[in-house]
Amino acid sequence: MRGSLTLKVLAFVLIPLAIQCALLASLAKLQSEAEAELKRSMHARDISDAINKITRDAYDTIATYGGLSSVSELSTDDPIFKDLFERLKRDYDELKALATDDPAILAAATKSEMEAKSALNSLIELKRSFDLKGESDRAYQKVLWKRIRASLKQVVREELAYVGEEQKHLAEKSPQIQAELRLKAQNLLIFTGAFDVFLALVLASIFVRNIVGKLNRMTDNAYMLASNLPLNPVLQGTDEISRLDQTFHKMAAELKAASKRETATFANARDIILSLEESGRVMAINPACERILRMRQQDMVGRFLVDLVVPNDLSKALDYLQMIRSAPHVPDLEVQMRDGDSNMVHVLWSGQWSQEENSFFLVIHDISDRKQAEELKREVISMITHDLRTPLSTINSILDLFNQGHHAKFEAKGLDLLKVAARNAQRMMVLINDLLDIEKISAGSMQLELEPLSIEKFFADCRDATWSFAEETGVQLVFLPMPLTVMADHQQLERVLSNIVSNAIKFSEKGCKVTVEARQQDGFVEISVKDEGPGIQPEMLETIFDKFQQAPNTSAKVKGGSGLGLAISKSIVELHGGKIWVRSEIGRGSTFTFSVPSAVDWLPSDD
Ligand code: ADP
């Protein structure tokens, strides 16, 4: 039973329907046969009746004019004679009309009519002989008389009598034929009905085996998939249900693979992944808890997670669980937990509440290493601040004093060396200050003191700070101030501009020009520093504002610098709410631009 389900269903409906149609056609045929038989029998009866009438009329004639004496009294004008004459004519016309389709009957009727006519002609001839000659021509009259009798007998004998008998017989036989036809119809009905019932049973059993059976198997498969049991073998075939089953198997295989992957991810994840009941008890947890919290999975299940949180962080943790229940995007929470060995573990909770499952899903990320690194960094910074910067600034001051000729006298060569030492000490100081600043900014502890700052003053201060460096390098420094005012922390913004201008001078050849200008742009003032230096490699443009980014193989390292200047500048500009960017082409110089909010937008309105 291959083929599509549609074909099967169609066969199931169409085969019995075809049999019903054949039955109807057969019944209609039998019905029309019965009707034809009825007509034939009525026709035969009519013919037989017509012949009977002729026979009766012929015998009537014989009876009426049975003797010669009766002929002598006959008058041709007698209405009885006339009536007889016309009746016979009508009888024959009727018979011939009935027999138009039957040549044998028609021939017999014509022959009989001729005999009847000849008898009647002889009768008229006899009558005329009586009228003319009376009893004198007895011999001739007897001859005529015998002829009349012979003809009248001929009228009803032989063919016509035979036909009459035959038609009568036909008419009598008809009810029997009709009964046979009815029986036939009855048998046909019973046989076909029984066959139809049988066929319906056979088809239904095939249907059940092929379709309902397959559907049951699919239902079974769905149950097995849900219960994680192996599925029934794939249904072979091309019908819709088999194809559905084949797809179902494919889908089940993919689901299994996905679930395997998911289980593997869950089991091998470095972070703890767990689900909590609404009350906060652990429902399921992955093996990462053994590494991070030094607790076995089975010991964690059923425990309240917050029991592992240190008392100081407990209310924070409870609030967090409460918050993720009501809000979709809650920032991750840093908490300290105690592991199975009572050690503190710094972790980050990242959780979600599932309304459908009525439970929490949490990922616990171990940030102990990060915390340790942060601690280390803090220690290094405090070490730099106290153990490096303080002695270095003392060294700087002493070198300054020596440079100014206090406390010691140096020869010319010694003075040169002293200057080198002072410059290097200064550079170290800059580097340390930069490091501390960048740390301050990323820790969010740098505070800006915003005030209106005129661009003219801003540019003038920068010129004062950088012109000697420009002169030393032989670079032409051009400031194009504008009557604009920004809202800024003067000291910090000065650092930004000085750093960019110093870089521009530092990377320019002797005789090149560095132009500093400002312009108003959508509530901001954009300040740009354009140089005619070597330009910046395109791949470096993306990262130039990151920490410790210096162009390889350039004079940057030779020319000094920490690689922190632009990172600090970017942080300061962003603290002001502005942006910083660079456009550069190798061999055609660079333009650094930063934007700061215009002071006009900060002024209180007149009303
Ligand atoms: P540095 O202290 O090294 O100057 P910066 O953060 O100020 O650190 O600059 C980072 C790097 O960007 C520089 O070392 C240099 O390679 C590149 N750079 C900065 N300004 C320019 C410029 N105007 N022309 C070419 N390269 C530049």
Side-chain angles (χ1 to χ4, degrees):
M1 270 291 277
R2 292 190 167 240
S4 78
L5 190 60
T6 323
L7 267 179
K8 283 177 190 169
V9 174
L10 271 180
F12 187 66
V13 175
L14 287 182
I15 294 176
L17 195 70
I19 291 170
Q20 292 295 331
C21 287
L23 172 69
L24 276 179
S26 307
L27 282 177
K29 189 169 170 266
L30 283 175
Q31 174 71 21
S32 79
E33 270 176 29
E35 266 174 28
E37 184 53 41
L38 185 67
K39 259 191 203 159
R40 207 166 31 244
S41 102
M42 281 164 68
H43 188 67
R45 196 170 299 283
D46 287 348
I47 291 175
S48 162
D49 284 353
I51 291 171
N52 278 348
K53 253 197 240 167
I54 292 170
T55 313
R56 197 179 57 232
D57 290 345
Y59 280 110
D60 264 6
T61 311
I62 292 170
T64 312
Y65 307 105
L68 264 176
S69 53
S70 53
V71 178
S72 61
E73 288 157 19
L74 178 74
S75 155
T76 43
D77 298 330
D78 185 352
I80 296 176
F81 181 75
K82 269 191 174 166
D83 177 51
L84 181 72
F85 195 80
E86 270 167 24
R87 237 165 53 206
L88 267 173
K89 189 176 175 326
R90 233 181 7 250
D91 289 347
Y92 280 109
D93 284 347
E94 196 179 319
L95 180 60
K96 280 196 284 188
L98 284 169
T100 43
D101 291 341
D102 195 331
I105 299 176
L106 205 59
T110 314
K111 200 174 166 196
S112 165
E113 190 182 15
M114 275 163 61
E115 291 292 350
K117 270 185 185 161
S118 134
L120 287 175
N121 285 338
S122 300
L123 195 63
I124 291 165
E125 176 68 30
L126 182 64
K127 176 65 186 152
R128 199 177 291 131
S129 159
F130 266 114
D131 289 346
L132 289 176
K133 297 182 184 162
E135 302 258 335
S136 59
D137 202 1
R138 197 79 178 157
Y140 176 62
Q141 287 168 352
K142 263 192 177 171
V143 170
L144 279 176
W145 178 239
K146 275 187 185 158
R147 199 186 297 159
I148 290 168
R149 288 187 69 96
S151 288
L152 279 176
K153 276 181 188 155
Q154 281 304 317
V155 166
V156 289
R157 290 256 171 87
E158 297 181 6
E159 288 99 335
L160 202 59
Y162 174 73
V163 167
E165 272 309 303
E166 199 182 50
Q167 294 300 316
K168 193 173 155 208
H169 180 68
L170 266 179
E172 280 164 359
K173 224 181 126 194
S174 178
Q176 190 193 340
I177 293 173
Q178 284 179 43
E180 277 170 18
L181 284 172
R182 266 197 303 279
L183 190 68
K184 244 187 194 176
Q186 219 170 26
N187 286 344
L188 191 69
L189 262 175
I190 292 170
F191 170 78
T192 322
F195 181 71
D196 237 17
V197 170
F198 170 75
L199 192 75
L201 287 174
V202 170
L203 286 177
S205 92
I206 293 173
F207 191 75
V208 167
R209 252 193 303 131
N210 266 275
I211 296 169
V212 182
K214 282 180 178 180
L215 282 175
N216 282 343
R217 210 152 122 176
M218 285 217 58
T219 317
D220 238 31
N221 276 344
Y223 170 75
M224 283 166 159
L225 180 71
S227 324
N228 212 9
L229 293 170
L231 304 187
N232 290 314
V234 186
L235 285 177
Q236 298 302 328
T238 52
D239 62 80
E240 288 83 344
I241 301 180
S242 304
R243 285 211 300 274
L244 190 64
D245 187 61
Q246 288 149 17
T247 315
F248 185 84
H249 271 79
K250 253 189 227 159
M251 185 198 75
E254 272 163 28
L255 266 180
K256 215 171 176 180
S259 137
K260 240 185 189 168
R261 280 197 298 273
E262 212 169 83
T263 314
T265 315
F266 183 70
N268 298 316
R270 290 194 59 75
D271 291 339
I272 297 177
I273 302 170
L274 57 87
S275 58
L276 295 181
E277 282 172 10
E278 197 180 2
S279 63
R281 274 183 209 274
V282 176
M283 289 199 293
I285 190 162
N286 68 341
C289 66
E290 294 178 13
R291 190 176 55 77
I292 299 175
L293 291 175
R294 311 229 165 268
M295 300 270 286
R296 292 185 312 164
Q297 271 175 291
Q298 57 267 44
D299 295 340
M300 286 291 294
V301 175
R303 279 191 76 152
F304 286 103
L305 184 73
V306 287
D307 283 353
L308 298 177
V309 175
V310 298
N312 277 350
D313 287 352
L314 186 60
S315 67
K316 196 162 82 170
L318 288 170
D319 286 352
Y320 177 75
L321 291 179
Q322 202 54 46
M323 254 155 46
I324 56 176
R325 273 200 69 161
S326 42
H329 302 294
V330 178
D332 295 348
L333 174 80
E334 266 188 47
V335 280
Q336 292 186 63
M337 297 177 78
R338 279 211 188 277
D339 68 11
D341 302 334
S342 293
N343 294 321
M344 294 255 257
V345 191
H346 284 273
V347 290
L348 193 70
W349 283 12
S350 171
Q352 257 184 357
W353 168 254
S354 161
Q355 196 63 50
E356 302 91 69
E357 313 268 331
N358 205 33
S359 48
F360 296 97
F361 287 96
L362 235 68
V363 174
I364 300 182
H365 180 60
D366 184 3
I367 52 167
S368 301
D369 290 348
R370 200 186 84 195
K371 281 281 164 191
Q372 256 177 14
E374 278 172 12
E375 187 55 36
L376 200 68
K377 206 159 93 180
R378 255 195 304 279
E379 282 169 15
V380 169
I381 287 172
S382 97
M383 189 269 283
I384 291 173
T385 322
H386 299 108
D387 303 347
L388 262 176
R389 195 161 71 157
T390 319
L392 198 64
S393 66
T394 314
I395 292 171
N396 257 330
S397 312
I398 293 170
L399 288 174
D400 265 359
L401 284 173
F402 285 167
N403 256 328
Q404 287 160 19
H406 299 295
H407 309 300
K409 286 225 179 292
F410 290 91
E411 294 170 7
K413 180 78 183 158
L415 268 177
D416 286 348
L417 289 172
L418 199 62
K419 276 193 181 124
V420 172
R423 208 166 39 241
N424 280 323
Q426 194 60 44
R427 278 172 63 176
M428 271 179 80
M429 206 56 196
V430 169
L431 179 63
I432 288 169
N433 284 337
D434 281 356
L435 268 175
L436 291 175
D437 279 346
I438 207 144
E439 207 38 58
K440 215 165 154 190
I441 293 169
S442 46
S445 55
M446 179 177 271
Q447 296 291 325
L448 295 182
E449 283 174 26
L450 297 179
E451 54 186 351
L453 167 66
S454 95
I455 292 296
E456 278 115 336
K457 174 164 173 35
F458 182 45
F459 279 11
D461 288 349
C462 182
R463 189 193 298 113
D464 291 347
T466 51
W467 72 268
S468 60
F469 182 33
E471 237 178 33
E472 261 174 51
T473 328
V475 171
Q476 188 194 349
L477 193 55
V478 181
F479 283 89
L480 301 172
M482 292 278 286
L484 297 169
T485 313
V486 291
M487 249 346 241
D489 182 317
H490 188 171
Q491 207 187 340
Q492 296 301 342
L493 208 64
E494 195 63 59
R495 268 182 85 178
V496 175
L497 187 60
S498 297
N499 178 46
I500 296 174
V501 172
S502 304
N503 277 348
I505 299 169
K506 191 160 71 178
F507 296 105
S508 294
E509 295 296 319
K510 200 174 173 183
C512 289
K513 190 162 83 175
V514 171
T515 316
V516 185
E517 51 191 340
R519 67 186 182 114
Q520 178 82 35
Q521 180 76 27
D522 302 332
F524 283 83
V525 173
E526 285 182 1
I527 297 155
S528 52
V529 179
K530 184 170 181 281
D531 67 48
E532 298 168 349
I536 299 158
Q537 303 285 343
E539 62 273 15
M540 207 193 154
L541 287 175
E542 299 252 309
T543 55
I544 198 160
F545 294 103
D546 294 347
K547 289 181 217 170
F548 304 111
Q549 290 298 321
Q550 289 184 311
N553 311 323
T554 63
S555 49
K557 288 192 174 80
V558 184
K559 295 192 175 192
S562 60
L564 287 171
L566 288 178
I568 294 174
S569 300
K570 182 174 184 246
S571 303
I572 293 174
V573 168
E574 284 174 354
L575 271 179
H576 278 85
K579 279 185 188 152
I580 186 165
W581 64 96
V582 60
R583 289 210 177 85
S584 181
E585 234 180 285
I586 291 291
R588 306 193 65 172
S590 320
T591 305
F592 283 81
T593 312
F594 62 93
S595 61
V596 208
S598 168
V600 182
D601 296 322
W602 288 72
L603 292 177
S605 57
D606 290 342
D607 41 71

